[in-house]
């Protein structure tokens, strides 16, 4: 939520900042702004605009800059409505420092009142302005106008979780950056350096990055980066690492939307995961598990899957697989409930945190809660080097590549594949799966990427279906077993990008309420592939038809029952139930995508949402 970018070097700062903001726009699009230090004018040039980046881009065109340093921001509003005045960067009362911010200042009200008593006038409704005014006041007191010293003194007074980038007029040869539980990376160039909320903004310039840790205050110049830890009160060394993503992965490559491009990348993502995780001897291998961790996994008596949104749906599938293949009890909870639920945990528990971004605030808090209570923690994460990946006892990367579309698609598929492999791995480790059974599972799994391509090729057929129903305002999704989470995920995809109301239900619950919704106008998406509960799904479908409802069915190839009763039917290749959620979700992604496009929605940047939810 909110994207931060900073640049210092030899290039014209404005295009660098604008390009960075373009890559970060998925983090928020309520307003955008930049502040650069113009060397000729010896002053800041501050440009901000309400709305998407395009509005800022138009405005920036009116200015002539001679700037080689600057900061920029794209906002997802928390405190104060989306408006020009609330857009970042914000400046202090003396207008000598500018700041961009991601996250929340929790004690902003108390701090604001204190500052107002000292006659400081506020112009915006944001918590951000409190941060810059507080640092600005401290700045005024430092003898040499030292922004680092001012930030070092002021930041500990601020409560909450946030990241800052700061620039002063008096020392434009230095950028200051600070991180506390919100992501911030430093890009290392030659004669130039960068600050960004995530690495995708840095990929056009460098793949060498330093991931800041919590309470790191970085001093960034053209030539070097020094990091002071406010935790240890000392200068610390943070080694750069090489990022393996490339810029073309973060571009649309001819697709009209990132979401569509990312859906089409799914077979490759799956192939890549299987290649990385399955050894020549047909065993499962997780390269990043620390020594001793597998030993700890052998002692575990209970597993928790903790995550948000789409990742939670992946957790529900993973949890069924863990119970089936390890016979360990596995509970699934959304992070926000887990963290405040005072969970009963001990060393015998394993808490698996599932997250694409590795920065989701509630999941990070859940991780800290689990660690504090002594449980073993394992993060299943897409973004390498993210906070959750670094703080968990162990990490398994999902290797989906950068996901830019706000609606998660390929990251979900990658989470499903990784969690299934984890379930099989644990089953083998705990001797609940025999080698021969594992071999059979792997054989079936290896067919899935091609089967996934097949489903994608036929995805166009869903266009006709979307055309029939795109103006409906209510959709019901039903599934059972491994495909109950698919029903939840299908409904979430549709509502988040098309804004139609969609509800996912366990099909067995239909008679306990949702059946009242069914009439001749109600589309019901029924996920009914081969499975032990297939007959039960067919009974549910009959009940819907008996009440004149519209059945859009997802079934397994050759299913003649469904051919007879469904109004619209989409077939997936045959596979065993545990793998079916990887295939059944694809038609639902298509349906959501097409319905959103036909309704003229902004598919990649749906209203009110942001890709990475770094505030509660
Ligand atoms: C929906 C979606 C969100 C995320 C959720 C968790 O398409 O993308 O529901 O799944 O915000 O995000 P991560 O996985 O980054 O923790």
């Amino acid at each position: 939520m909110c994207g931060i970018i900073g640049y210092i070097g030899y290039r014209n700062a404005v295009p660098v900042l604008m390009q960075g903001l373009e890559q970060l726009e998925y983090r928020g699009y309520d307003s955008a702004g930049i502040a650069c230090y113009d060397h000729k004018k010896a002053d800041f040039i501050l440009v901000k605009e309400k709305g998407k980046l395009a509005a800022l881009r138009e405005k920036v065109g009116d200015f002539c800059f001679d700037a080689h340093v600057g900061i920029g921001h794209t906002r997802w509003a928390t405190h104060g409505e989306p408006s020009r005045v609330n857009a970042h960067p914000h400046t202090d009362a003396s207008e000598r420092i500018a700041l961009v911010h991601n996250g929340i200042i929790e004690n902003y009200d108390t701090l604001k009142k204190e500052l107002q008593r000292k006659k400081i006038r506020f112009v915006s409704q944001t918590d951000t302005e409190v941060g810059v005014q507080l640092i600005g006041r401290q700045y005024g007191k430092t003898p040499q106008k030292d922004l680092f010293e001012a930030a070092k003194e002021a930041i500990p007074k601020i409560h909450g979780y946030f990241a800052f980038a700061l620039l002063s007029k008096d020392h434009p040869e230095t950028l200051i950056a600070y991180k506390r539980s919100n992501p911030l990376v430093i890009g290392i160039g030659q004669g130039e350096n960068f600050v960004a909320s995530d690495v995708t903004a840095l990929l056009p310039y460098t793949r060498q990055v330093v991931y800041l840790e919590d309470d790191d205050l970085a001093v960034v110049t053209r030539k070097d980066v020094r990091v002071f830890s406010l935790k240890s009160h000392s200068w610390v060394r943070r080694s750069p690492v090489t990022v393996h993503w490339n810029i073309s992965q973060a571009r649309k490559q001819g697709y009209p939307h990132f979401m569509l491009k990312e859906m089409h990348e799914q077979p490759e993502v799956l192939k890549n995961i299987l290649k990385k995780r399955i050894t020549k001897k047909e065993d499962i291998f997780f390269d990043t598990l620390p020594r001793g961790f597998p030993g700890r996994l052998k002692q575990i008596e209970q597993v928790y899957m903790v995550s948000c949104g789409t990742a939670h749906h992946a957790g529900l599938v993973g949890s069924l697989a863990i119970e089936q293949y390890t016979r360990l009890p596995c509970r699934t909870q959304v992070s926000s409930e887990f963290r405040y639920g005072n969970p009963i945990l001990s060393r015998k528990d394993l808490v698996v945190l599932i997250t694409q971004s590795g920065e989701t605030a509630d999941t990070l808090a859940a991780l800290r809660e689990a660690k504090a209570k002594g449980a073993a923690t394992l993060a299943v994460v897409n973004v390498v080097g993210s906070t959750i990946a670094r703080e968990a006892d162990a990490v398994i990367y999902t290797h989906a590549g950068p996901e830019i579309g706000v609606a998660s698609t390929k990251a979900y598929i990658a989470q499903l594949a990784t969690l299934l492999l984890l379930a099989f791995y644990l089953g083998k480790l705990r001797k609940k799966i025999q080698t021969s059974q594992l071999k059979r599972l792997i054989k079936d799994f290896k067919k899935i990427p091609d089967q996934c391509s097949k489903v994608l090729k036929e995805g166009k057929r869903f266009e006709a279906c979307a055309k029939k129903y795109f103006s409906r305002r209510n959709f019901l999704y039903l599934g059972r077993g491994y495909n109950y989470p698919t029903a939840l995920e299908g409904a979430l995809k549709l509502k988040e990008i098309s804004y139609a109301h969609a509800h996912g239900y366990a099909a067995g619950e239909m008679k306990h309420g949702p059946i009242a919704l069914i009439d001749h106008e109600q589309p019901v998406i029924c996920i009914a592939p081969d499975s032990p509960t297939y007959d039960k799904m067919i009974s549910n479908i009959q009940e819907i038809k008996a009440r004149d409802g519209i059945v859009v069915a997802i079934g397994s190839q050759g299913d003649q029952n469904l051919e007879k009763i469904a109004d619209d039917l989409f077939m997936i290749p045959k596979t065993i139930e545990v793998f079916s959620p990887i295939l059944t979700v694809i038609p639902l992604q298509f349906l959501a995508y097409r319905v959103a496009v036909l309704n003229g929605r902004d598919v990649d940047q749906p209203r009110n949402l942001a890709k990475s939810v770094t505030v509660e």
Side-chain angles (χ1 to χ4, degrees):
M1 303 211 139
C2 296
I4 289 178
I5 182 84
Y7 175 74
I8 185 157
Y10 56 85
R11 302 175 204 246
N12 179 355
V14 178
V16 178
L17 297 177
M18 292 304 292
Q19 186 168 32
L21 290 180
E22 215 166 278
Q23 294 300 140
L24 296 172
E25 199 181 13
Y26 71 86
R27 301 179 67 86
Y29 25 84
D30 288 332
S31 64
I34 57 170
C36 295
Y37 179 79
D38 188 288
H39 297 269
K40 275 202 195 113
K41 298 189 179 86
D43 202 355
F44 283 150
I45 296 185
L46 191 65
V47 193
K48 3 197 226 181
E49 208 43 81
K50 181 182 164 182
K52 296 204 170 178
L53 197 56
L56 178 71
R57 197 175 292 115
E58 208 170 290
K59 195 103 187 273
V60 163
D62 299 342
F63 289 81
C64 184
F65 292 86
D66 177 24
H68 302 282
V69 58
I71 53 178
H73 188 265
T74 175
R75 178 167 188 246
W76 187 85
T78 58
H79 297 60
E81 58 173 12
S83 67
R84 195 182 167 275
V85 76
N86 286 335
H88 305 210
H90 288 278
T91 52
D92 71 322
S94 73
E95 297 190 355
R96 302 208 73 78
I97 66 175
L99 175 145
V100 287
H101 162 219
N102 168 204
I104 288 184
I105 296 178
E106 288 174 351
N107 58 339
Y108 81 99
D109 201 31
T110 317
L111 293 172
K112 189 169 182 174
K113 284 183 184 133
E114 270 171 34
L115 289 162
Q116 280 169 329
R117 274 196 294 276
K118 288 168 186 155
K119 303 277 176 274
I120 293 194
R121 218 175 63 79
F122 284 80
V123 291
S124 78
Q125 293 96 51
T126 62
D127 53 342
T128 310
E129 195 186 352
V130 176
V132 73
Q133 296 284 20
L134 189 76
I135 298 171
R137 213 178 130 73
Q138 195 65 39
Y139 182 72
K141 291 184 199 161
T142 62
Q144 305 294 327
K145 297 268 182 274
D146 189 333
L147 187 53
F148 166 74
E149 279 302 326
K152 192 166 125 228
E153 289 305 311
I155 286 173
K157 296 182 186 137
I158 304 175
H159 303 168
Y161 302 101
F162 49 88
F164 286 156
L166 289 133
L167 176 63
S168 94
K169 243 182 220 182
D170 305 295
H171 294 287
E173 67 287 352
T174 309
L175 277 178
I176 301 291
Y178 173 78
K179 166 191 153 67
R180 190 192 297 165
S181 286
N182 271 53
L184 207 60
V185 288
I186 310 283
I188 310 293
Q190 304 235 315
E192 60 181 349
N193 287 309
F194 307 79
V195 176
S197 293
D198 86 36
V199 292
T200 52
L202 306 175
L203 294 176
Y205 310 102
T206 181
R207 294 219 223 144
Q208 288 294 106
V209 304
V210 170
Y211 291 102
L212 292 183
E213 295 193 5
D214 271 0
D215 258 333
D216 277 356
L217 186 63
V219 182
V220 184
T221 69
R222 282 177 62 159
K223 298 225 172 91
D224 67 2
V225 177
R226 288 181 307 133
V227 180
F228 185 85
S229 165
L230 293 186
K231 222 181 252 165
S232 64
H233 261 267
S234 59
W235 292 97
V236 287
R237 207 180 128 65
R238 301 276 180 246
S239 308
V241 295
T242 307
V243 176
H244 295 287
W245 289 356
N246 62 54
I247 184 64
S248 64
Q249 286 177 301
R251 298 217 159 119
K252 282 192 202 146
Q253 296 173 327
Y255 284 93
H257 298 103
F258 277 111
M259 181 179 174
L260 192 62
K261 175 198 164 226
E262 287 159 4
M263 282 161 56
H264 280 94
E265 284 171 352
Q266 294 179 122
E268 266 322 295
V269 168
L270 290 169
K271 264 185 209 154
N272 192 27
I273 291 172
L274 294 178
K275 203 166 111 195
K276 279 200 157 68
R277 301 291 175 226
I278 295 173
T279 65
K280 283 199 181 107
K281 290 190 176 157
E282 307 250 286
D283 218 340
I284 294 166
F285 170 67
F286 295 115
D287 53 339
T288 45
L289 293 188
R291 268 173 76 147
F293 199 75
R296 192 153 180 208
L297 291 178
K298 280 189 191 162
Q299 312 298 322
I300 291 303
E301 289 176 1
Q302 179 159 238
V303 184
Y304 286 79
M305 296 273 174
V306 181
S307 41
C308 304
T310 284
H312 169 63
H313 302 151
L316 288 166
V317 173
S319 151
L320 289 171
I322 299 242
E323 292 205 336
Q324 180 176 354
Y325 292 98
T326 71
R327 302 312 294 154
L328 279 170
C330 184
R331 295 173 61 180
T332 314
Q333 236 178 342
V334 290
S335 312
S336 51
E337 290 300 313
F338 180 87
R339 67 179 286 195
Y340 292 119
N342 195 11
I344 302 162
L345 296 171
S346 76
R347 284 191 57 75
K348 300 270 180 189
D349 293 308
L350 169 69
V351 178
V352 181
L353 296 307
I354 310 151
T355 165
Q356 187 285 129
S357 61
E359 304 290 349
T360 301
D362 281 323
T363 309
L364 178 57
L367 163 66
R368 290 176 178 166
E369 173 77 10
K371 277 184 90 170
K373 289 189 162 162
T377 55
L378 171 62
V380 173
V381 181
N382 191 39
V383 177
V384 175
S386 53
T387 309
I388 293 173
R390 280 182 290 121
E391 285 195 18
D393 297 326
V395 60
I396 298 176
Y397 287 112
T398 52
H399 294 295
E403 188 177 69
I404 312 286
V406 164
S408 186
T409 52
K410 65 172 180 171
Y412 176 65
I413 292 271
Q415 286 162 350
L416 290 180
T418 307
L419 290 171
L420 295 183
L421 288 168
L422 176 65
F424 304 156
Y425 169 85
L426 284 177
K428 177 91 188 305
L429 194 72
R430 300 174 66 92
K431 304 204 181 343
K432 298 289 180 200
I433 295 186
Q434 306 306 316
T435 309
S436 56
Q437 189 187 3
L438 183 63
K439 283 207 156 88
R440 279 199 304 278
L441 284 167
I442 287 177
K443 196 169 157 216
D444 282 338
F445 211 160
K446 284 186 170 168
K447 292 182 195 153
I448 296 292
D450 287 341
Q451 294 182 327
C452 180
S453 300
K454 229 172 166 183
V455 182
L456 278 164
K457 273 196 199 110
E458 290 175 20
K460 282 215 150 122
R461 288 184 37 214
F462 243 83
E463 276 183 46
C465 177
K467 273 188 190 141
K468 271 169 77 184
Y469 307 120
F470 80 95
S471 56
R472 306 287 157 117
R473 303 318 302 148
N474 278 301
F475 292 78
L476 192 58
Y477 287 69
L478 300 178
R480 284 173 181 261
Y482 278 90
N483 282 294
Y484 162 49
T486 312
L488 299 180
E489 175 59 10
L492 177 64
K493 278 305 79 108
L494 187 80
K495 75 184 130 204
E496 70 180 322
I497 59 170
S498 78
Y499 317 150
H501 177 256
H503 208 118
Y505 258 97
E509 280 289 285
M510 186 177 78
K511 289 202 235 3
H512 301 282
I515 199 163
L517 293 171
I518 291 171
D519 62 13
H520 66 286
E521 291 194 330
Q522 177 67 57
V524 188
I525 291 79
C526 299
I527 303 133
D530 279 349
S531 79
T533 51
Y534 169 79
D535 290 342
K536 308 282 170 208
M537 274 308 296
I538 294 296
S539 304
N540 289 132
I541 291 171
Q542 297 287 11
E543 288 154 8
I544 297 163
K545 288 309 303 171
R547 284 154 186 85
D548 228 7
I550 303 162
V551 170
V552 179
I554 317 291
S556 298
Q557 220 122 50
D559 186 330
Q560 292 177 354
N561 286 329
L562 286 179
E563 270 174 19
K564 277 187 225 135
I565 48 177
D567 296 279
D568 299 272
L569 176 60
F570 198 90
M571 302 286 204
I572 59 152
K574 279 182 186 289
T575 184
I576 55 171
E577 192 194 14
V578 65
F579 298 123
S580 64
I582 302 180
L583 301 177
T584 49
V585 76
I586 297 170
L588 306 187
Q589 295 170 344
F590 266 113
L591 180 64
Y593 175 76
R594 286 291 160 211
V595 168
V597 170
L598 289 166
N599 278 295
R601 307 298 188 215
D602 190 339
V603 170
D604 284 334
Q605 294 176 351
R607 71 180 178 205
N608 305 337
L609 286 168
K611 182 80 185 155
S612 178
V613 185
T614 51
V615 295
E616 264 193 77

